[in-house]
Amino acid sequence: MSKVLSRYLAREIFGATATVLIAFLGLFAFFDFINELDSVGKEGYELHHAMIYVAMIVPGRVYELLPIAVLIGSLYALTTLARHSEITVMRASGLSTWRMLRTLGLIGSVFVVLTFVFGEYIAPPAESAAQQWRLVATNASVSQQLRSGLWVKDGRMVINVRTLRPDRSMEKVRIYAFDEDYGLESVSEAASGVYDGDGQWKLRDIQRTRFGTERTELEQLDEFIWRSELTPEVLSVLMVVPERMSVTNLWAYIRHLRDNQQNADRYEIALWKKLIYPFAVLVMIALALPFAFTHDRMGGVSVKVFLGVMLGIGFHLLNGLASNLGVINAWPPALAALTPSLIFLAAAAAMLYTVERR
């Protein structure tokens, strides 16, 4: 395929995808803003806070919607070319299905890189900053599932943090230390703690109770250095859902859970999804190709775009469903992450085979 034709296809697909993506982002931003209106007027949370929060989570939406936008944009661009008989002319001049797929793959690789960059370098810090902004605006701490706060296991210690502030400082920290036989050695209570770097937390106003074989000792400390692998980045899982964390932070938290013999299935599935999801773009663009090889002139484009929207929604729902089923049924993380893409890839191959047989 000539470079001129490749550039022409790329221009059409890029333009259509950008239009679809902008439309989706506007729609999702509107729904996110409507959802935030329930909190406006409470705890100092005002309208401009909600608008800034919605703007800050847009990169995460770009990451989620880019494969779907590529599917609909490619489908629209290719079916429009087919409707104008341009695809027919290309095939009549010797353009094979394999060469078309190869060209679309090169075009799709740009979206693969773009999806990875948003998912790894732009969306995670933006999401974390958005959550911090919201917490600061409402003067709140990180919400916890338990009234007693956050519970984390670190080696032979169990840590209870009553309040984790948006700046990652801690308040009302309690550390339970156990011996090798799981007997309670001591309980330390600190009024506050800040991360001091190099894997250590500086705790202040500590009251420690030591349990001996014959007596119990109580001591007061103004300051205590607590060395731990629990960095603010590891604790950031409280502020960002696993699917929107970076690969680096996911791997760090998975390693922490494994070191403490805890279940890490949910985070392992999220890690595999982060690695695989960008390549779903190639599956989406391949799925759009069979529609271009049909020649419905009357109302063909609108019908196929509608089908593209339905397929995109189906992929989004299946992606979430596979993750939940993987956690519930203890599937291998790679299988849970790959399942949606494999199903749609099989559908694309079957459709291409059917079209070629005609």
Side-chain angles (χ1 to χ4, degrees), residues 205-240:
D205 299 329
I206 302 99
Q207 179 177 299
R208 176 183 293 170
T209 305
R210 295 181 181 273
F211 301 98
T213 55
E214 297 180 356
R215 62 177 183 175
T216 300
E217 298 179 355
L218 183 65
E219 60 179 333
Q220 297 281 347
L221 300 172
D222 293 331
E223 189 174 277
F224 175 73
I225 301 299
W226 166 43
R227 299 196 64 83
S228 172
E229 295 182 358
L230 292 174
T231 63
E233 287 72 27
V234 172
L235 294 176
S236 67
V237 298
L238 295 170
M239 305 182 71
V240 181

Side-chain angles (χ1 to χ4, degrees), residues 270-283:
L271 176 62
W272 277 99
K273 284 180 65 176
K274 292 287 292 188
L275 296 174
I276 293 170
Y277 193 69
F279 295 97
V281 170
L282 299 178
V283 177

